[in-house]
Amino acid sequence: MYARDNESGATPLQEQPTSAQVEAAVEALRMLSDATRLRLMWLLTRGEYDVGTLARAIGTARPSVSQHLAKLRLAGLVQTRRDGRRVLYRARDSHVRSLVNEALFHADHEVSGIPRHD
């Protein structure tokens, strides 16, 4: 609705996100506000991984990673697929990948002094 052209002719003040859309966005951002979950999501935007691989990559205990992945999955940010006995996790779609990448690009500008751009 917001990245698309406004075909209705309504102004931004008239065409606002619905309460359901706002709540869904708040929940997604809430899930990403945890450092461990953001690190996991960064990895999951780049490929599929099992719990053990993710735990080793971010230096966190496997049970903790499993709990974080369960929350991310319930929030609709992560999807899974079975590969034999392993469960592989990945970012759900291109919207989730873009959200994570943009948050980290923004952070890079904040901490590195890279000039801002539009």
Side-chain angles (χ1 to χ4, degrees), residues 18-34:
T18 66
S19 294
Q21 289 169 319
V22 169
E23 287 304 313
V26 165
E27 182 60 22
L29 293 170
R30 186 179 292 124
M31 285 294 110
L32 296 176
S33 70
D34 178 88

Side-chain angles (χ1 to χ4, degrees), residues 76-91:
L77 299 176
V78 167
Q79 66 184 44
T80 61
R81 91 175 163 85
R82 279 219 171 269
D83 181 28
R85 292 180 46 192
R86 295 183 325 154
V87 176
L88 298 173
Y89 293 82
R90 68 175 178 224

Side-chain angles (χ1 to χ4, degrees), residues 3-4 7 9 13 22-24 28-29 47 62 67 73 84 87 103 106:
R4 295 182 230 141
E7 295 176 11
L13 290 176
V22 169
E23 287 304 313
L29 293 170
R62 213 179 139 105
Q67 289 177 356
R73 187 174 180 199
V87 176
H106 168 73

